[in-house]
DNA sequence: GCGGACTGCTTACCT
DNA sequence: ACAGGTAAGCAGTCCGCG
């Protein structure tokens, strides 16, 4: 294993022996800006030697931004004073006005001259494209796409195009519904062009990335978490787990008499300096390192601690910066205790999985909501079916042979999260890099809005479109609908009132990617909604129903093209290919990953248009999308009525059809395809569905007996376990129901279960842990009970100040405060387990409950009642006549019949 | 002084 | 830290009421 790619200069990444060899196919993974060199450094991965090469820009590319011609004098004035800037007249396409305009390009020697200081150009003049990170600018301008292949020849980098299997390519002709699909690269920017580009980009092979996971243990006092800022606590162990099977844990000797057997991977060292150096040496053999929260803890701690003389008690020698493989951008940030920035590696790339798994899009769309908490243990349990090593007491009291096992296990789990399911996560990151045109380490840390931003910015640059300023987009108008929820900006999806009761043979149909389809079909994009053409504005055909917006008919919108082509590729091409048995398993997996990555992007594409943090935020686009969505659903319901299908429920993009014939389902789907240009597909068929009168609350049993529960309290995570258990027992019974007759028997059994549980509750047979409500603390605990009043109050010195009132605290926070008083640290994201009591404030943390008599049984009966009523109200509806009496609460009735 | 109607806050869920 | 819509429970306020 060669180490020649490791660069020795202090905090500096430069071209030297590590330079990219010529004519070798390597994959671009990342790009960073090097302040020392005032250049962008590209990081290429060599799948062959499994190393990363750095490549310093040799094109003399410089940071820049634009201003419009009306600010010309101002720009000239600035460069007269500050000759470091250069100005260059040029032309750009302005999408907002749909005109080619003259602009002035302002070129600077370094990114900070553009933005980031009080003295930057964007603070002095109305500037365009001045907020884009320089390394991103560099990638866009050179059409460099992370996740794809390149080779070097002399001083230039060239794209390496993988030949795509002609058979696979030809499937496009079959699957994409377009007669004159032109697969040749063309300079005309149209739908075919994008389809072709995406396929060229996405079908390239994904290499394995050699990597190592690292986890450190640090001595700590009780109740105080060690912080890199202080770096006063000893690093006691460092665990390492490589994707090549390498496993090692270094532990600091603290008790030379310990005779316990160590795991074979353990190595005991005598000083902390040796410990850290040993780990650094191993790390340097890997181009990529993986951590869990390494940005905020492990890596900055190692970085700071390595330079602390306490690691070498005898000689007081620190590890010199040049021997530390970690790059911390601004260590002053750590010193002030602020949130750390991404931590880089001198010789490679660092991916912090904590950030990636926190990403909501990754959590929900890539991992189907399988994990709920963002801890290494919780995520490992859900995804790997494995967990951290458990121990009693304080970690600092562990004997070192146990500490070694514990630490190595953490490294194993961290690596495992990146390797499970055939390296799914790494593959997803690479594919999202390709789509978003962002470095893989940025993708792993950024939210979905930045992924989509990257995709759109890249295309703007490719087409010489001027990226609009936020104020230009705001001036395109506001929403013209009113939201149902106060504080929301516009109206969203339509929810159909469910028909109470039990319904047999229910077919659920839904529109495939409804919002992306609408964006495609209706040409929605920031420049096409409320466009600048009077002819479009005044054309009745171009008006968007339910709103005051109109759509351009003169040109295709960029967002519409990009989202539309991705949607079609996913629905018609990649989904099919991933199931195509005529290709190899490897290929099918690749297509499955691509399909998932596209799904993540598509699912967020509408949402970001209505999100302020999105730089191309445009309310009319989001407003229009949702409005057309409601019209689509409403018109389909009307058509159903017309042809005699009963619609018993629907939510946003789905409709529940009661016992429809397959011919009628086909008819309605065909109608939607031709009239609305959306794909209406059968999602699933229920043997029966039980609706209460509540929206987003139902239970359905599929043909195979699987029970689908949506929204019911019995399923919710905060519901006490004993109620949840009773609830799931009831589901077991309902699973067996096949016909209306079966319900009678089922109901008797349900009664029995409820009685048993209620009785156990009243006789105190249920363990307090089974009684706990489990509720998450969603924000920093000190921010509860704080509410700013609208009224301004005059303070003593006569100034108006905001008057802050403190209101009552939610129950889980009351419990959290009690826990805090007993010495437990409470932070955002923690789940508080509490029981309801007759004493004090009515709550007590379950861990602090000493006397079972404090439990407020009445409250638990109420909780049972409301939980089960959601089901019983629907069941009773049909059985009311059999019982022949008015019911009070459904639960009361059960008790009444018991006596 | 008390209860019901109401609002606001918070969480968890659905699409 | 992508959107809006719905449900539920709790805390507090307003208002009527001989």
């Amino acid at each position: 294993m060669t180490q020649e790619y490791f660069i020795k200069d202090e905090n500096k990444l430069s071209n030297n022996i590590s330079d990219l060899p010529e004519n070798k196919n390597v994959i671009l993974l990342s790009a960073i800006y090097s302040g020392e060199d005032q250049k962008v450094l590209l990081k290429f991965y060599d799948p062959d030697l499994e190393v990363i090469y750095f490549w310093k820009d040799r094109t003399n590319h410089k940071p820049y931004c634009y201003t419009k011609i009306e600010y010309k004098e101002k720009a000239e004035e600035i460069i007269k004073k500050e000759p470091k800037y250069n100005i260059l007249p040029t032309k750009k396409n302005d999408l907002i006005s749909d005109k080619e305009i003259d602009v002035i390009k302002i070129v600077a020697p370094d990114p900070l001259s553009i933005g980031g200081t009080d003295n930057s150009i964007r603070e002095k003049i109305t500037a365009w494209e001045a907020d884009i990170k320089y390394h991103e600018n560099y990638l866009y301008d050179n059409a460099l796409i992370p996740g794809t292949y390149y080779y070097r020849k002399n001083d230039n980098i060239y794209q390496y195009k993988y030949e795509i299997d002609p058979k696979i390519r030809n499937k496009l002709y079959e699957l994409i519904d377009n007669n004159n699909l032109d697969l040749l690269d063309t300079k005309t920017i149209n739908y075919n062009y994008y389809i072709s580009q995406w396929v060229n980009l996405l079908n390239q092979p994904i290499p394995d990335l050699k990597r190592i996971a690292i986890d450190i243990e640090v001595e700590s006092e009780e109740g105080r978490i060690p912080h890199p800022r202080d770096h006063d606590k000893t690093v006691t162990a460092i665990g390492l787990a490589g994707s090549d099977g390498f496993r090692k844990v270094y532990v600091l000797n603290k008790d030379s008499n310990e005779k316990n057997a160590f795991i074979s991977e353990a190595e005991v060292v005598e000083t902390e300096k040796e410990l850290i150096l040993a780990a650094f040496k191993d790390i340097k053999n890997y181009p990529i390192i993986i951590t869990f929260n390494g940005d905020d803890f492990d890596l900055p701690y190692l970085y700071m601690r390595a330079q602390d003389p306490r690691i070498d008690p005898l000689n007081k020698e620190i590890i010199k910066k040049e021997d530390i493989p970690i790059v911390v951008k601004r260590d002053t940030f750590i010193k002030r205790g602020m949130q750390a920035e991404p931590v880089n590696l001198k010789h490679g790339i660092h991916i912090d999985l904590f950030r990636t798994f926190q990403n909501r899009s990754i959590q929900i769309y890539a991992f189907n909501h399988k994990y709920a908490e963002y801890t290494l243990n919780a995520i490992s349990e859900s995804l790997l079916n494995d967990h951290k090593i458990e121990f009693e007491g304080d970690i600092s009291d562990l004997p070192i042979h146990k500490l070694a096992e514990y630490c190595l296990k953490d490294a194993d789990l961290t690596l495992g999260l990146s390797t499970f399911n055939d390296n799914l996560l790494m593959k997803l990151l690479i594919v999202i890099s390709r789509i978003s045109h962002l470095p893989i380490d940025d993708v792993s840390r950024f939210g979905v809005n930045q992924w989509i931003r990257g995709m759109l910015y890249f295309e703007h640059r490719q087409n010489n479109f001027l990226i609009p300023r936020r104020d230009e987009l705001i001036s395109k108008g506001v929403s013209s609908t009113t939201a149902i929820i106060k504080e929301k900006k516009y109206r969203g999806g339509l929810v159909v009132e469910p028909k109470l009761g039990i319904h047999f043979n229910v077919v659920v149909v839904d529109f495939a990617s409804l919002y992306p389809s609408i964006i495609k079909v209706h040409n929605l994009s920031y420049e096409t909604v409320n466009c600048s053409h009077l002819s479009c504005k005044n054309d009745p055909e171009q008006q968007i129903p339910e709103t005051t917006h109109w759509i351009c008919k003169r040109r295709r919108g960029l967002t519409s093209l990009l989202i539309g082509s991705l949607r079609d590729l996913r629905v018609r091409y990649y989904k099919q290919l991933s199931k195509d048995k005529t290709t190899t398993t490897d290929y099918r997996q690749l297509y499955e990953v691509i399909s998932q990555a596209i799904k993540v992007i598509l699912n967020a594409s509408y949402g970001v248009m209505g999100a302020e943090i999105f730089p191309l935020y445009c309310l009319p686009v989001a407003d229009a999308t949702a409005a057309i969505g409601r019209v689509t659903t409403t018109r389909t319901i009307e058509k159903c009525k017309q042809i005699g299908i009963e619609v018993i429920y629907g939510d946003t993009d789905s409709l529940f059809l009661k016992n429809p014939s397959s011919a009628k389902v086909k008819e309605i789907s065909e109608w939607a395809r031709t009239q609305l240009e959306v794909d209406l597909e059968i999602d699933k068929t229920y043997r029966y569905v039980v609706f209460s009168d509540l929206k987003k609350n139902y239970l359905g049993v599929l043909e195979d007996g699987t029970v689908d529960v949506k929204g019911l309290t019995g399923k919710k995570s905060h519901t006490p376990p004993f109620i949840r258990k009773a609830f799931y027992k009831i589901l077991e019974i309902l699973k067996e129901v096949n016909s209306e007759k079966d319900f009678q028997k089922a109901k008797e059994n349900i009664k029995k279960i409820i009685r048993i549980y209620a009785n156990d509750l009243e006789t105190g047979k249920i363990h307090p842990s089974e009684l706990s409500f489990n509720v998450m603390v969603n924000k920093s605990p000190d921010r509860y009970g704080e509410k700013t009043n609208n009224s301004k109050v005059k303070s003593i010195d006569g100034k108006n100040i905001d008057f802050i009132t403190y209101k009552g605290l939610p129950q889980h926070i009351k419990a959290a405060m009690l826990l805090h008083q007993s010495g437990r640290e409470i932070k955002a994201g923690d789940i508080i387990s509490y029981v309801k009591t007759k004493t004090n404030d009515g709550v007590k943390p379950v861990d602090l409950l000493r006397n079972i008599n404090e439990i407020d049984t009445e409250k638990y009966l109420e909780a049972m009642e409301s939980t089960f009523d959601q089901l019983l109200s629907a069941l009773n509806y049909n059985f009311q006549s059999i019982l022949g009496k008015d019911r009070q609460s459904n639960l009361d009735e059960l008790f009444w019949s018991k006596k």
Side-chain angles (χ1 to χ4, degrees):
Chain A
M1 182 65 220
T2 168
Q3 281 187 28
E4 65 181 8
Y5 56 89
F6 175 58
I7 302 146
K8 292 230 162 60
D9 302 353
E10 179 181 335
N11 270 345
K12 181 178 169 184
L13 301 159
S14 64
N15 290 349
N16 53 25
I17 48 159
S18 75
D19 269 357
L20 199 51
E22 274 195 285
N23 292 316
K24 185 151 201 207
N25 288 342
V26 289
I27 182 168
L28 176 63
L29 286 185
S30 185
I32 53 160
Y33 177 71
S34 160
E36 301 272 328
D37 296 303
Q38 299 205 341
K39 294 242 177 258
V40 164
L41 298 179
L42 300 176
K43 299 183 187 182
F44 290 100
Y45 179 76
D46 179 349
D48 204 22
L49 291 178
E50 304 184 306
V51 296
I52 280 185
Y53 301 110
F54 284 80
W55 178 257
K56 185 161 74 180
D57 170 57
R58 296 185 184 182
T59 65
N60 207 26
H61 188 277
K62 293 263 182 268
Y64 64 89
C65 64
Y66 295 102
T67 190
K68 286 194 178 171
I69 205 79
E70 58 255 46
Y71 304 108
K72 191 177 176 200
E73 270 138 52
K74 178 81 186 160
E76 282 165 348
E77 196 182 298
I78 291 169
I79 64 150
K80 208 174 262 177
K81 267 189 245 155
E82 296 178 85
K84 67 175 175 180
Y85 295 109
N86 272 312
I87 56 173
L88 222 92
T90 178
K91 286 186 188 301
K92 278 264 171 188
N93 293 314
D94 184 39
L95 293 185
I96 303 259
S97 63
D98 193 22
K99 283 185 182 123
E100 189 183 64
I101 59 165
D102 289 308
V103 293
I104 297 158
K105 186 172 180 175
I106 305 173
V107 183
D110 56 84
L112 285 176
S113 300
I114 300 292
T117 73
D118 294 343
N119 204 30
S120 301
I121 192 93
R122 72 174 184 212
E123 310 300 329
K124 297 174 183 166
I125 197 166
T126 308
W128 276 256
E129 308 193 12
D131 302 327
I132 307 169
K133 288 233 167 60
Y134 179 56
H135 72 271
E136 289 176 18
N137 268 320
Y138 182 84
L139 293 175
Y140 304 150
D141 288 342
N142 292 289
L144 290 161
I145 305 172
T148 64
Y149 296 83
Y150 295 89
Y151 63 93
R152 173 173 86 86
K153 202 161 182 197
N154 298 323
D155 273 358
N156 297 313
I157 303 289
Y158 298 95
Q159 191 174 46
Y160 178 81
K161 279 191 183 165
Y162 265 88
E163 205 56 52
I164 289 161
D165 185 347
K167 267 203 310 215
I168 301 295
R169 195 163 235 295
N170 287 339
K171 296 255 183 208
L172 268 179
Y173 293 100
E174 298 166 29
L175 299 169
I176 301 286
D177 183 23
N178 196 315
N179 293 330
N180 49 0
L181 189 62
D182 177 12
L183 292 178
L184 297 170
D185 286 2
T186 134
K187 286 293 143 222
T188 343
I189 306 306
N190 57 27
Y191 175 83
N192 293 346
Y193 170 83
Y194 279 112
I195 290 281
S196 167
Q197 289 291 298
W198 284 126
V199 170
N200 285 336
L201 176 63
L202 297 173
N203 285 17
Q204 296 186 31
I206 298 177
D208 276 337
L209 299 179
K210 186 186 178 188
R211 57 199 182 273
I212 190 165
I214 176 170
D215 180 70
I216 72 170
E217 304 304 330
V218 176
E219 219 163 52
S220 65
E221 291 158 24
E222 214 190 313
R224 208 188 120 236
I225 305 155
H227 195 286
R229 169 192 56 216
D230 309 321
H231 52 89
D232 57 335
K233 298 291 173 194
T234 311
V235 178
T236 53
I238 303 180
L240 299 153
S243 58
D244 54 355
F246 174 84
R247 290 171 80 240
K248 189 99 197 179
V249 57
Y250 299 102
V251 273
L252 188 62
N253 193 6
K254 71 171 171 186
D255 177 7
S256 52
N257 295 322
E258 188 174 332
K259 295 286 189 297
N260 281 303
F262 281 92
I263 49 172
S264 62
E265 295 88 349
E267 188 177 323
V268 181
V269 294
E270 294 304 319
T271 70
E272 218 182 326
K273 187 177 175 187
E274 285 173 68
L275 178 83
I276 296 172
L277 280 175
F280 282 174
K281 190 159 170 275
D282 290 336
I283 287 175
K284 289 170 190 171
N285 289 326
Y286 291 82
I288 294 167
I289 78 168
I290 308 277
T291 61
F292 195 87
N293 204 24
D295 278 346
D296 276 335
F297 181 66
D298 301 65
L299 297 193
Y301 200 91
L302 280 181
Y303 177 83
M304 298 302 278
R305 188 70 184 170
Q307 300 173 72
D308 186 323
R310 285 172 285 195
I311 57 171
D312 183 12
L314 237 60
N315 306 314
K316 305 278 178 219
E317 257 180 40
I318 63 160
I319 301 171
K320 282 182 248 135
K321 262 200 175 123
E322 64 224 49
D323 295 324
I324 302 174
I326 299 161
V327 191
V328 171
K329 219 174 173 185
R330 280 180 282 181
D331 25 14
T332 50
F333 261 60
I334 297 177
K335 282 174 192 150
R336 283 191 226 119
M338 293 163 80
Q339 219 203 341
E341 295 183 72
V343 177
N344 265 306
L345 278 192
K346 276 184 195 165
H347 65 286
I349 289 169
H350 166 220
I351 288 173
D352 181 349
L353 292 186
F354 178 61
R355 299 248 203 150
T356 312
F357 281 100
Q358 266 194 325
N359 184 315
R360 297 274 293 167
S361 292
I362 293 281
Q363 181 189 13
I364 295 166
Y365 299 117
F367 295 110
N368 291 317
H369 227 130
K370 281 198 186 111
Y371 59 94
E373 280 179 277
Y374 310 123
T375 62
L376 179 59
N377 197 48
I379 300 171
S380 300
E381 277 183 353
S382 343
L383 299 180
L384 310 177
N385 213 357
D386 200 349
H387 52 83
K388 288 169 77 119
I389 292 176
E390 287 160 29
F391 59 87
E392 297 278 312
D394 203 289
I395 188 158
S396 298
D397 302 332
L398 280 186
I400 59 171
H401 76 282
K402 287 280 179 203
L403 182 70
E405 288 170 30
Y406 177 87
C407 183
L408 184 60
K409 183 74 188 185
D410 278 7
D412 280 338
L413 293 176
T414 305
L415 179 71
L417 291 179
S418 81
T419 55
F420 90 101
N421 211 344
D422 203 17
N423 302 310
L424 172 62
L425 185 75
M426 300 307 285
K427 288 178 177 171
L428 265 177
L429 291 178
I430 290 176
V431 177
I432 296 171
S433 270
R434 290 174 181 171
I435 299 174
S436 65
H437 300 81
L438 292 173
I440 189 169
D441 39 350
D442 286 351
V443 166
S444 77
R445 289 174 175 84
F446 286 172
V448 66
N449 80 85
Q450 304 191 68
W451 299 346
I452 294 174
R453 181 206 63 190
M455 174 176 89
L456 289 169
Y457 278 9
F458 181 88
E459 293 303 333
H460 275 78
R461 284 284 164 82
Q462 291 308 296
N463 296 298
N464 201 36
F465 296 157
L466 183 66
I467 298 170
R469 286 169 54 87
R470 179 171 285 271
D471 47 21
E472 295 175 287
L473 292 168
I474 302 276
S475 69
K476 290 197 63 95
V478 290
S479 64
S480 62
T481 58
T482 36
I484 290 173
I485 308 169
K486 258 192 265 182
E487 322 273 292
K488 296 284 186 191
K489 293 165 290 192
Y490 61 93
R491 178 155 298 190
L494 188 78
V495 189
V496 180
E497 201 74 49
K499 286 225 169 76
L500 186 134
I502 301 153
H503 308 271
F504 284 87
N505 193 21
V506 172
V507 175
V508 182
V509 290
D510 63 9
F511 299 105
S513 317
L514 178 63
Y515 289 155
S517 302
I518 289 170
I519 289 171
K520 175 199 164 195
V521 172
H522 294 267
N523 194 22
L524 302 185
S525 191
Y526 73 81
E527 75 275 27
T528 48
V529 174
N530 299 341
C531 65
S532 57
H533 317 114
L534 268 178
S535 59
C536 301
K537 184 178 182 177
N538 296 326
D539 185 342
E541 293 271 300
Q542 298 307 105
Q543 307 306 307
I544 299 168
E546 292 191 22
T547 70
T548 55
H549 309 307
W550 67 94
I551 307 174
C552 185
K553 75 175 201 186
R554 287 218 204 149
R555 63 185 166 153
R556 276 306 288 270
L558 185 61
T559 320
S560 174
L561 274 173
L562 285 166
I563 299 298
S565 53
L566 277 176
R567 188 219 90 108
D568 285 356
L569 277 172
R570 175 172 137 80
V571 174
R572 299 212 171 101
Y573 184 65
Y574 288 115
K575 262 179 141 178
Q576 322 276 341
L577 281 180
S578 69
K579 288 173 198 141
D580 187 344
K581 290 286 187 311
T582 63
T583 54
T584 64
T585 336
D586 274 4
Y587 271 117
R588 285 209 300 274
Q589 262 176 7
L590 169 66
Y591 301 132
E592 177 62 36
V593 172
I594 296 171
S595 179
Q596 278 200 60
I598 297 178
K599 179 170 86 176
V600 170
I601 301 283
L602 291 181
N603 278 329
S605 60
Y606 142 79
V608 294
M609 297 299 167
E612 277 105 333
I613 35 117
F614 183 57
L616 297 172
Y617 165 67
C618 189
L619 259 188
V621 176
D623 194 18
T625 312
I628 297 171
R630 292 190 298 274
V631 170
T632 305
T633 308
T634 312
R635 286 190 58 192
T636 309
I637 293 172
E638 278 163 10
K639 183 69 189 174
C640 280
K641 270 185 198 153
Q642 225 178 78
I643 65 171
I645 304 176
E646 191 186 355
V647 178
I648 53 174
Y649 180 60
D651 188 346
T652 311
D653 61 353
S654 69
L655 293 174
F656 288 55
L657 312 178
K658 183 159 182 171
N659 199 15
S661 70
S662 56
K664 289 213 167 145
V665 175
K666 248 192 207 129
E667 189 185 342
I668 193 72
S669 158
E670 187 58 20
W671 176 85
R673 193 178 67 77
T674 52
Q675 298 303 303
L676 306 174
E677 291 182 77
V678 286
D679 295 329
L680 186 62
E681 302 171 334
I682 293 183
D683 179 24
K684 53 196 166 188
T685 303
Y686 287 117
R687 193 194 292 161
Y688 67 92
V689 177
V690 181
F691 284 125
S692 62
D693 56 355
L694 300 173
K695 292 169 173 177
K696 300 182 192 277
N697 267 264
Y698 62 88
L699 178 149
V701 179
L702 294 167
E703 281 159 329
D704 66 357
T706 315
V707 184
D708 252 2
V709 184
K710 301 288 178 186
L712 300 180
T713 306
K715 184 196 180 181
K716 292 196 174 181
S717 60
H718 71 261
T719 303
F722 97 98
I723 298 182
R724 266 220 312 278
K725 280 182 187 164
F727 182 79
Y728 279 103
K729 284 215 162 154
I730 292 173
L731 295 192
E732 284 302 309
I733 292 168
L734 291 173
K735 205 174 182 169
E736 304 303 324
V737 173
N738 281 300
S739 67
E740 283 184 68
K741 281 180 211 149
D742 293 349
F743 271 110
Q744 281 194 49
K745 209 167 69 195
K747 203 196 163 191
E748 285 308 311
N749 289 330
I750 291 168
K751 278 184 188 175
K752 270 185 216 156
I753 289 171
I754 292 177
R755 279 189 205 132
I756 290 168
Y757 275 86
N759 198 269
D760 285 353
L761 174 71
E762 287 181 311
T763 52
K765 278 189 197 143
I766 293 170
H767 192 270
S769 67
E770 292 282 295
L771 292 171
S772 68
F773 288 84
N774 307 290
V775 179
M776 190 183 278
V777 179
N778 267 353
K779 43 185 186 182
S780 175
D782 51 322
R783 307 239 342 257
Y784 283 89
E786 157 191 304
K787 193 200 171 258
T788 46
N789 224 340
N790 285 339
S791 59
K792 302 263 180 182
V793 169
K794 286 215 167 152
S795 69
I796 302 151
D797 60 4
K799 275 188 200 154
N800 277 333
I801 54 161
D802 281 322
F803 188 72
I804 296 169
T805 54
Y806 289 89
K807 301 217 164 184
L809 297 169
Q811 292 195 321
H812 68 293
I813 301 304
K814 283 184 190 164
M817 285 172 69
L818 291 170
L819 276 176
H820 183 68
Q821 281 163 25
S822 76
R824 230 187 72 184
E825 200 88 35
I826 307 288
K827 55 184 190 312
D830 288 351
I831 288 176
I832 306 296
S833 296
Y834 65 91
V835 291
K836 301 204 182 187
T837 56
K838 286 178 277 195
T839 51
N840 302 332
D841 282 331
V843 289
K844 204 160 195 181
V846 67
D847 290 345
L848 299 182
L849 187 78
R850 297 284 169 263
N851 182 358
I852 197 158
N853 289 327
E854 286 180 56
I855 301 277
D856 189 345
T857 309
E858 207 49 49
K859 281 265 188 276
Y860 281 91
L861 283 173
E862 279 170 29
M864 282 180 80
E865 179 183 336
S866 61
T867 303
F868 298 126
D869 264 358
Q870 286 180 343
L871 278 177
L872 296 176
S873 66
L875 296 181
N876 262 12
Y877 177 76
N878 268 9
F879 292 112
Q880 221 169 4
S881 55
I882 299 165
L883 293 176
K885 59 172 184 287
D886 291 331
R887 63 177 203 277
Q888 308 151 21
S889 124
N890 297 291
L891 207 64
D892 284 348
E893 178 202 318
L894 287 173
F895 289 127
W896 176 82
S897 58
K898 182 174 68 173
K899 281 161 195 168

